Amino acid sequence: QVQLVESGGGLVQPGGSLRLSCAASGRTFSSYAMGWFRQAPGKEREFVAAISWSTSTTYADSVKGRFTISRDNTKNTVYLQMNSLKPEDTAVYYCAVDLSRTAVAAGQARYWGQGTQVTVSS
């Protein structure tokens, strides 16, 4: 059974940094695309970043230059390094995994984690 477990969320001041992790289990994910989404209160879920099996990356315009997605296939883990955080980055962050990077970026990934809360506030 596939499981995705996010960690690393928390409370951080504006301008601060956090690194989210998503550990996948249940199979080997080296050939899968992996990504991050977020959902703020009262808003729809939105795409943040995705990384293909070949480590090609895609970012939402709102996070370009501030967030970096990476993966470690030996650990079946995808990371999201978030720098220069802003209050508008406050949301529950979810990881998503699928064989297709297109599906991940479109929010149609087969596998989803339960989410981790990120709050940016002074």
Side-chain angles (χ1 to χ4, degrees), residues 11 21 24 48 50 54 99 113:
L11 173 64
S21 301
V48 176
S54 63
L99 279 170

Side-chain angles (χ1 to χ4, degrees), residues 85-105:
L85 282 161
K86 305 174 181 179
E88 50 264 44
D89 294 317
T90 295
V92 177
Y93 283 71
Y94 300 89
C95 69
V97 174
D98 195 279
L99 279 170
S100 165
R101 189 178 75 170
T102 300
V104 170

Side-chain angles (χ1 to χ4, degrees), residues 48-90:
V48 176
I51 185 167
S52 71
W53 64 270
S54 63
T55 69
S56 175
T57 57
T58 305
Y59 295 94
D61 288 344
S62 59
V63 306
K64 279 182 182 176
R66 300 189 298 122
F67 291 11
T68 302
I69 188 171
S70 61
R71 63 191 294 165
D72 184 341
N73 289 334
T74 65
K75 298 180 179 180
N76 264 0
T77 299
V78 61
Y79 303 97
L80 186 67
Q81 177 67 44
M82 306 186 294
N83 299 328
S84 301
L85 282 161
K86 305 174 181 179
E88 50 264 44
D89 294 317
T90 295

